[in-house]
Amino acid sequence: MASGRMLEDLFDINRDAFDVTLFGAEPHGNYNRIMLSPVLAGDKTFDEIVTHDVDWYREHGVNCRFGESVVKIDRKKKQVISEGGMTHYDKLVIATGSASFMIPVPGNDLPGVIGFRDLNDVHKMFAASDKPNSKAVIIGGGLLGLEAAAALNAQGMKVTVLHLMGHLMERQLDPAAGYLLQKELERRGINVVCKAHTKAILGHEHVDAVLMENGTTHGADIVVMAAGIRPETRIATEAALRVERGIVVDDAMVTTDPDILALGECVEHDGTVYGLVAPLFDMAKVLARTLVDETAKFVAPSVSTKLKVTGVDLFSVGELAEGDDREEIVFRDPGRGIYKRLILQDDRIVGTVMYGDTTDSSWFFSKIKANEDISEIRDTLIFGPAFQGGEPLDPLAAVAALPDDAEICGCNGICKSTITNAITGGAHDLAAIKATTKASASCGNCSGLVEQVLAVSLGDDFVVPAAQSICGCTDFTHEDVRRIIKSQQLKSMPAVMQECGWKTSCGCHVCRPALNYYMIAEWPLEYQDDAQSRLVNERNHANIQKDGTYSVLPRMWGGMTTPDELRAIADAADKYNVPAVKVTGGQRIDLLGVKKEDLPNMWADLNAAGMVSGHAYAKGLRTVKTCVGTDFCRFGTQDSTGLGIKLEKMLWGSWTPHKVKLAVSGCPRNCAEATCKDVGIICVDSGFEVSVAGAAGMELKETQPLAKAATEEEAIELTIAFVQLYREHARYLDRPHRWVAKVGLDWVIARVVDDIVERAALCERFEISQSVYRNDPWAEQSTPEFEQRKWSPLADLTLEAAE
Amino acid sequence: MSNWIDIASLDDIPRRGARVVKTHLGCVAIFRTHDNQVFAIDDTCPHKKGPLSEGIVHGTAVTCPLHNWVFDLKTGMTQGNDKGSVATFGVRVEDGRILLDVSRSASRLVA
Ligand SMILES: Cc1cc2nc3c(=O)[nH]c(=O)nc-3n(C[C@H](O)[C@H](O)[C@H](O)COP(=O)(O)OP(=O)(O)OC[C@H]3O[C@@H](n4cnc5c(N)ncnc54)[C@H](O)[C@@H]3O)c2cc1C
Ligand code: SF4
Ligand code: FES
């Protein structure tokens, strides 16, 4: 493409300065390569995208050698060597572009693995899509990969996109815009997998599947490699021109040989390689002038990106990344699926991302290029040129956008339309809605949402009583957000922030840990825990102490231990110079004052002795305290120790809104102090008395009886069902006793005790979650990979400075 | 005069996270935001010495893990009513490498 534009520029200045010979590996002249995507989608034909046809070259006296590759440059003799022989030059221009990068995995050379670069590739894809029910896997969720995906999907293929990073087009988009884009592609039936690590491409004579690191496979009739491009520099390297990532050129587009110039994607200028056409066109102008001995200088322009997929409005330009002194303005309209973000520096816009509505993109782009001072219009800037004076964002937009079948009241299964119908039928306040629909009549968590539905339906006639939102980032309460996560099936943090109209781009220290918990609780299988949204103790799996050291506390199941375990703990205390060893109230041993960099080694030592994390730092299951029960005590009525160990083995590793402590006593003498725990079990002759919602912290609360169980199994079921109900309903950072006080013990008993079906369902959901979370974080975090990435300092300058 | 040294790759720090660099003047925390901006500030909270590198990073701010003071990564100043600030250091990213300006710590060292 660059060569065609350069020739136009050259002929504009001086038609007769050079006799031009043009070599091209492709069997035809210049065409608009970027329009290969619409050709693939069937929106355009190849003829429509040809920019220079045979007639044009003939008119301009260009000697065309299409279908002929240059294989060698002889700089001494000033000749190029091609299949057709030798050709002399005075000046040589290299514009070899680039080639698709084939990711280095086994099978990447199988037939059916193709790049997306030229017309030939497009023909291969057409051939594959002709077959009925054919499947395509695209590796790479950048600009190119997504255009290919949308086009092949439009051609009727079943398309899967495998993307290595956390969100699509991560170089041009932030996570919020990446989420919206993914949602749109999925709506079209494209399967998108992020954080996808490809292990191998499988097949014998032809590809038939792609194997991922995690063992899953994706069937494929073709695999399209769109994971990046490599500048085509082979002939330049061989001719000993300076080549880094691309052929190095100066500001005048001259290589290290004064008679050889280069432009396009194959060059590197000032450390940068370009992959979009706008800079190449600037290069063409400069190079043409250099050829006729005028002075010209290439200056790197700001480049904007637009995805050429029909029906997707997406724009991104400038700096979204790296640099000091930046601020941002964010606008989200969940109802219309709009996201806009401006990045400001020194009162100037330096970058923007827009999704869903790009009408103002050129206005913003012009302000970026003009480096215009926007301090005067800053407050309304995000609304674009039409709204100078601006309208504020409607806080009810997210509720208005909920579809009719969105469930508002989970207890009673009431969806939005049932409530709006009741409103039309005359129910105009919360009490009337409760009475007519039962929505919010049970646990009451959804009353905030019901009120917002009233406000949306009745407009000014209904004023929403002010409820406390999670934090300044949102107008919603904890309960509202949880409902929306569930009813709208939001499975990622950017999804929640977009659909609930977050006012910041990535939340804050209050909402992020809460959201992370809500997603873990709601989507244990789909959602990936986000370490960066964890408070320090949970991120480092140890309790931070006031001097910045940590404590390490291995689990002792039901408070039982062995001489071997005690020896391992003692050895660890010696080896790492642990200053304090403490027996805790939870019947285990705490090692205090451990340095951060010692944590993984110490864990590995304790793991080797068969011990796992005690989660003493977690909003999760802490301890199950027990007494010795029937094994040794003359009063014991049941095996309290055995039950405690069983409970701990089932519950450990689970995340909860706040910490959870259990205890089991073997008789009403209650040596394990079970009546001030979150769940306390007292064994009696006839079975087990299960009581809940006690506390012995800042508040002192005796547990309240939940139910009496005849068997050990039933006691375990009741405990798990209670914990799961708490996990599903409580607000983040509410202990069980506070949550029970809000929803009422009767409401809890109705679900956990009386409704056998619901109890079983709660236990089943708990078990699903535990299939992911019942494991030892220490074992994972003490691997060599974590060791380097996380626990050690990034660099130690005290050593360097000493030299 | 600036004295830039190559510390590590950008990818060595998780997004919305931080790692520390040990210097003679104590630890410097290098932060990476959700949109790949990089900042360097003193790791020690002026309140009660909380390690700021362990805090939650949001936008271009970090919240101290011990008592939730919020610091602006750009200026090192606290936000809201809490009074205090930490030193900031020059840092930039080039070709995916993090460069830290150590001139200040060096000159103080010599002095
Ligand atoms: C499908 C697709 C969509 C794109 N969409 C966009 C977009 O929306 N916006 C945008 O800005 N950019 C887009 N691009 C990128 C854009 O097309 C490239 O930046 C541009 O084509 C590069 O121009 P070039 O002249 O450097 O290389 P090319 O256009 O690749 O031209 C190089 C030519 O040199 C030939 N060649 C290589 N080696 C030799 C040799 N030894 N001898 C003879 N000939 C040789 C090649 O066969 C090729 O024909 C897209 C690219 C593709 C593939
Ligand atoms: S609670 Fe009862 S069974 Fe357990 S140790 Fe005390 S007296 Fe014995
Ligand atoms: S030590 Fe940082 S807020 Fe207290």
Side-chain angles (χ1 to χ4, degrees), chain A residues 614-635:
Chain A
H615 290 87
Y617 46 81
K619 317 238 178 292
L621 178 83
R622 297 280 178 92
T623 59
V624 182
K625 193 170 173 175
T626 66
C627 72
V628 291
T630 43
D631 273 357
F632 292 96
C633 178
R634 65 200 161 106
F635 299 112

Side-chain angles (χ1 to χ4, degrees), chain A residues 38 276 519 575 593 670:
Chain A
L276 293 170
M519 309 289 262
K575 182 166 166 192
N670 193 15

Side-chain angles (χ1 to χ4, degrees), chain B residues 69-85:
Chain B
W69 281 21
V70 179
F71 294 82
D72 187 334
L73 296 173
K74 292 181 278 192
T75 61
M77 305 289 283
T78 44
Q79 297 176 353
N81 296 329
D82 305 314
K83 294 258 173 317
S85 69

Side-chain angles (χ1 to χ4, degrees), chain A residues 251-575:
Chain A
D251 290 347
M253 309 313 296
V254 182
T255 67
T256 42
D257 179 329
D259 292 321
I260 303 182
L261 300 85
L263 82 165
E265 273 182 352
C266 59
V267 306
E268 174 175 329
H269 172 265
D270 199 12
T272 308
V273 176
Y274 294 90
L276 293 170
V277 293
L280 314 190
F281 290 164
D282 290 353
M283 289 180 190
K285 261 198 213 92
V286 173
L287 192 144
R289 294 178 60 186
T290 306
L291 277 178
V292 294
D293 289 332
E294 291 180 19
T295 40
K297 204 170 148 172
F298 172 71
V299 190
S302 302
V303 288
S304 65
T305 315
K306 249 187 131 141
L307 185 69
K308 300 186 301 300
V309 171
T310 328
V312 175
D313 265 341
L314 177 59
F315 180 83
S316 130
V317 64
E319 302 283 327
L320 309 173
E322 299 151 30
D324 306 328
D325 302 332
R326 294 210 176 124
E327 294 170 86
E328 60 176 13
I329 303 176
V330 177
F331 171 92
R332 305 186 198 238
D333 182 340
R336 291 184 295 151
I338 292 173
Y339 171 78
K340 300 182 188 180
R341 174 162 166 256
L342 294 175
I343 296 87
L344 309 180
Q345 184 173 337
D346 299 331
D347 291 329
R348 282 160 175 87
I349 311 177
V350 294
T352 176
V353 189
M354 327 191 88
Y355 188 95
D357 172 9
T358 53
T359 29
D360 299 335
S361 58
S362 51
W363 190 69
F364 290 121
F365 195 19
S366 68
K367 294 214 171 334
I368 294 176
K369 283 194 286 197
N371 200 20
E372 192 177 316
D373 185 330
I374 48 79
S375 48
E376 296 278 296
I377 52 170
R378 194 193 147 123
D379 291 348
T380 54
L381 184 65
I382 193 89
F383 301 107
F387 282 99
Q388 283 318 312
E391 61 179 33
L393 183 57
D394 180 3
L396 291 173
V399 173
L402 291 177
D404 280 345
D405 59 1
E407 193 180 71
I408 302 285
C409 173
C411 297
N412 297 297
I414 307 298
C415 63
K416 183 177 166 188
S417 62
T418 313
I419 297 172
T420 45
N421 289 341
I423 297 170
T424 326
H428 284 182
D429 59 29
L430 189 61
I433 297 285
K434 262 190 207 173
T436 46
T437 68
K438 280 209 137 32
S440 82
S442 299
C443 78
N445 272 349
C446 61
S447 41
L449 267 187
V450 174
E451 281 164 351
Q452 302 205 29
V453 175
L454 277 160
V456 169
S457 311
L458 298 174
D460 290 343
D461 293 341
F462 185 85
V463 181
V464 184
Q468 184 114 60
S469 66
I470 297 182
C471 62
C473 301
T474 175
D475 293 321
F476 282 119
T477 64
H478 285 268
E479 288 74 18
D480 294 345
V481 170
R482 273 200 106 161
R483 284 285 49 234
I484 296 174
I485 287 174
K486 192 173 168 138
S487 69
Q488 296 308 98
Q489 312 237 333
L490 306 179
K491 298 183 183 173
S492 71
M493 196 94 68
V496 180
M497 292 183 176
Q498 175 63 27
E499 301 302 339
C500 297
W502 241 245
K503 292 175 233 166
T504 48
S505 59
C506 74
C508 72
H509 67 275
V510 179
C511 57
R512 282 231 311 273
L515 289 184
N516 191 54
Y517 169 71
Y518 294 150
M519 309 289 262
I520 285 176
E522 194 62 48
W523 314 113
L525 302 181
E526 293 99 332
Y527 178 70
Q528 273 243 334
D529 184 18
D530 176 24
Q532 298 316 125
S533 296
R534 295 274 195 177
L535 297 167
V536 55
N537 289 349
E538 292 186 353
R539 185 164 1 102
N540 290 345
H541 299 276
N543 273 323
I544 194 164
Q545 310 293 315
K546 67 176 194 182
D547 61 355
T549 63
Y550 290 83
S551 71
V552 169
L553 197 157
R555 208 169 267 293
M556 284 182 180
W557 307 100
M560 298 295 284
T561 186
T562 63
D564 280 342
E565 286 185 354
L566 292 172
R567 258 188 290 273
I569 292 174
D571 287 346
D574 277 343
K575 182 166 166 192

